[in-house]
Amino acid sequence: MTHDGAVLDPDVPFLHADDLAAVRGDGVFETLLVRDGRARNVSRHLDRLQNSARALDLPAPDLDRWRTAITTGQRTWAEKNGRATEGLLRIVYSRGRESAPVGQAAPRERAETGITRESNEATAYLTVGPVPARVASVRTDGTSVITLTRGYSVDLAALAPWQLLGAKTLSYATNMAAQRHATAQGVDDVIYTSSEGQVLESPRSTVIVLNGDTLITPPVEDGVLPGTTQQALFETAEKEGLRTEYRSLRVADLIVADGVWLLSSVTLATRVRELNGYEMPEPARAKDFAALVEKAIED
Ligand code: PLP
C-alpha cells in the first residue's frame, strides 16, 4: 500500500523502472514485526526512519501519514491472515525517480525536459508479508555465527558521515553478501568486527552480551545501526533491575560472556550457540532473556 493509505494489488507492478530505490539503493527502509494484529515498536521505527531520512537529505517523512498507513497495513494483514499470523511490515522511502529526484537541487536539464521541481515526489510505500520460515527455528534453536571483518575502523562513522553508517539505507548488498559468505562456510550468520577487532553488529541484527546482571551492546558511535529492539530491551531491562551498558567489546568478550544474542525486530532474540566453531554453553537464563525481549516489544 502507498503511504497515503491506498491498498494496492500486490500483483500489479508499482515502482517505476528508474526509481532510485531500484537503481541506486538511494533511500531508507524499516522492517517491523506485526504480532497479534499490531505492528510493534512503531515510535522507535519512525524515529529511526526520520533520522535515516535526515542523513540522506530526504524530505522529512510525514510521520502521521506513516502511522495511519501502518494501522491500515496491520488491519489488512490481520483481516486476510488472522491476528495469530505474524507479519513482516516493510516501509520503503526513496528519493523517487531518477528523472525527478527529491532532496537535491533540480538539475538544469530538468527545465529542458519540462519536469518541474513541484512534480518531484519521494517514493513511499509499505508492504506486509509473511515472516521468513527460518524465523521460528532461530528463535528457539539459536544460530551459528562466524566473525568477519568489515574492514574499517570504529572511527569511520565520525570521520566519514557520508558513509551513512547509522542510517538504515536500502543499500544492503554487502550485508547480503556477508550472509552468503557465512552460508558457504556452513554457518547461519555473521558478527562483523572493525579493523581494530572490535565487535560491531550482524548484517541484520544487533549484538547483545549478558554478563551477570548487565546487558552490553556496542555503542552507535562505533558505526552500528541503532537497534529498535535493543533500545526497547534496555528500557524494559532497566525497569526489571538489570543494568545496561553501551561499551566496546572484543571477540574474546563474547566467548567468555554468560550469553550472546542477536536481536532484531522480526527474529527477536536469537541466541548465539556457536561462535567461530566454539559451542557456547546455554546460559541458565536463556528463557528469561527471550521472555524479556518479548515483553519489551509489547508496546
Ligand atoms: N543492525 C543492522 C545492520 C540491521 O539491519 C538491523 C535490522 O534491521 C539491526 C541492527 C536490528 O535493528 P532492529 O532491532 O531495529 O530491527
Side-chain angles (χ1 to χ4, degrees), residues 109-168:
E109 61 270 27
R110 182 116 356 102
E112 287 152 24
T113 57
I115 300 170
T116 65
R117 189 85 188 107
E118 290 69 40
S119 71
N120 295 5
E121 267 184 48
T123 301
Y125 64 93
L126 66 79
T127 58
V128 195
V131 301
R134 68 180 183 92
V135 167
S137 64
V138 295
R139 281 184 192 159
T140 52
D141 305 339
T143 188
S144 57
V145 170
I146 49 171
T147 53
L148 292 179
T149 183
R150 217 173 211 176
Y152 44 70
S153 162
V154 286
D155 289 346
L156 190 74
L159 287 176
W162 46 88
Q163 291 295 326
L164 304 173
L165 290 188
K168 194 164 168 67

Side-chain angles (χ1 to χ4, degrees), residues 14-149:
F14 168 69
L15 275 189
H16 286 104
D18 72 341
D19 195 287
L20 287 159
V23 296
R24 296 251 192 257
D26 192 0
V28 299
F29 76 109
E30 286 294 325
T31 305
L32 290 74
L33 178 67
V34 178
R35 177 174 260 203
D36 299 325
R38 199 158 50 78
R40 300 309 171 102
N41 230 341
V42 173
S43 296
R44 287 194 183 84
H45 280 287
L46 290 182
D47 281 354
R48 190 169 62 191
L49 183 76
Q50 201 169 26
N51 292 338
S52 299
R54 191 176 305 126
L56 269 71
D57 299 320
L58 286 167
D62 182 337
L63 298 190
D64 287 340
R65 276 177 126 183
W66 277 116
R67 276 185 188 280
T68 309
I70 290 169
T71 306
T72 309
Q74 69 193 21
R75 195 181 53 233
T76 309
W77 175 257
E79 278 165 10
K80 288 199 175 137
N81 303 281
R83 290 171 64 86
T85 310
E86 288 188 349
L88 184 158
L89 187 156
R90 188 181 287 126
I91 289 176
V92 177
Y93 184 52
S94 91
R95 201 175 300 284
R97 298 188 65 180
E98 193 167 35
S99 50
V102 295
Q104 58 196 56
R108 202 145 40 93
E109 61 270 27
R110 182 116 356 102
E112 287 152 24
T113 57
I115 300 170
T116 65
R117 189 85 188 107
E118 290 69 40
S119 71
N120 295 5
E121 267 184 48
T123 301
Y125 64 93
L126 66 79
T127 58
V128 195
V131 301
R134 68 180 183 92
V135 167
S137 64
V138 295
R139 281 184 192 159
T140 52
D141 305 339
T143 188
S144 57
V145 170
I146 49 171
T147 53
L148 292 179
T149 183

Side-chain angles (χ1 to χ4, degrees), residues 29-32 41 44-45 48 150 165 167-169 172 175 192 200-207 223-231 262-268:
F29 76 109
E30 286 294 325
T31 305
L32 290 74
N41 230 341
R44 287 194 183 84
H45 280 287
R48 190 169 62 191
R150 217 173 211 176
L165 290 188
K168 194 164 168 67
T169 76
Y172 260 49
N175 298 34
Y192 287 125
L200 296 172
E201 62 187 344
S202 268
R204 290 190 286 182
S205 41
T206 309
V207 176
V224 300
L225 188 76
T228 61
T229 320
Q230 168 270 315
Q231 290 162 5
L262 304 182
L263 239 64
S264 83
S265 300
V266 174
T267 52
L268 302 176

